[in-house]
Amino acid sequence: MSSQPDNTNQPNRAQIKDDGRDARLSFRRFAEHKMKREFKEAAIKKCEVHLKNFGQCAQDNGLLVVFKCRDLNKKINECMVEHNSPEKFEQYLKDHGEELDKRTLKSKTNK
């Protein structure tokens, strides 16, 4: 037996502090994730016309969808880039900052 204590099973102080910090930050990340999901759903609704057109084209053309519906797929991608960009999401978070704070507080009280 050695005279030195065995510290391998005991977490150090820095690790405990980091774990606590992660727990505090995770509420905000969870709220942001929910808002990102809602933001993406809104973008999909804005691009719904292009999605329906592409779906119809895909049904009509079967395996040739890759070639025959290329323009419609490009329109979907352009629409999603316009409405679902990281810059737009940052602006959305700024515009809905109060809602984000409410969700963060709500998450903390529910746990």
Side-chain angles (χ1 to χ4, degrees), residues 57-109:
C57 181
Q59 262 186 335
D60 294 344
N61 293 298
L63 292 175
L64 296 175
V65 67
V66 176
F67 306 105
K68 300 242 180 179
C69 306
R70 188 173 288 161
D71 292 336
L72 296 173
N73 187 33
K74 190 174 180 180
K75 287 181 183 178
I76 291 172
N77 290 335
E78 289 170 356
C79 183
M80 290 302 287
V81 165
E82 179 184 343
H83 296 291
N84 195 33
S85 69
E87 297 82 21
K88 292 265 187 179
F89 181 63
E90 288 300 320
Q91 184 61 42
Y92 178 81
L93 284 178
K94 286 178 186 174
D95 294 345
H96 296 86
E98 190 175 303
E99 182 180 347
L100 178 63
D101 291 339
K102 284 180 187 176
R103 287 181 180 204
T104 303
L105 292 173
K106 185 188 254 186
S107 295
K108 284 182 184 178
T109 58

Side-chain angles (χ1 to χ4, degrees), residues 4-101:
Q4 295 177 352
D6 184 27
N7 291 334
T8 56
N9 292 335
Q10 297 176 352
N12 63 17
R13 232 182 174 153
Q15 182 63 40
I16 292 170
K17 188 174 181 178
D18 285 344
D19 291 343
R21 183 178 296 125
D22 286 342
R24 287 190 307 271
L25 296 175
S26 67
F27 295 119
R28 184 164 182 91
R29 277 188 265 153
F30 179 73
E32 281 182 9
H33 176 71
K34 282 187 85 168
M35 289 182 76
K36 176 70 174 173
R37 198 169 44 208
E38 291 169 2
F39 177 74
K40 187 173 184 175
E41 288 172 6
I44 290 171
K45 282 190 183 231
K46 291 176 183 175
C47 300
E48 192 170 11
V49 172
H50 299 299
L51 289 166
K52 284 184 180 182
N53 290 340
F54 179 79
Q56 186 61 46
C57 181
Q59 262 186 335
D60 294 344
N61 293 298
L63 292 175
L64 296 175
V65 67
V66 176
F67 306 105
K68 300 242 180 179
C69 306
R70 188 173 288 161
D71 292 336
L72 296 173
N73 187 33
K74 190 174 180 180
K75 287 181 183 178
I76 291 172
N77 290 335
E78 289 170 356
C79 183
M80 290 302 287
V81 165
E82 179 184 343
H83 296 291
N84 195 33
S85 69
E87 297 82 21
K88 292 265 187 179
F89 181 63
E90 288 300 320
Q91 184 61 42
Y92 178 81
L93 284 178
K94 286 178 186 174
D95 294 345
H96 296 86
E98 190 175 303
E99 182 180 347
L100 178 63
D101 291 339

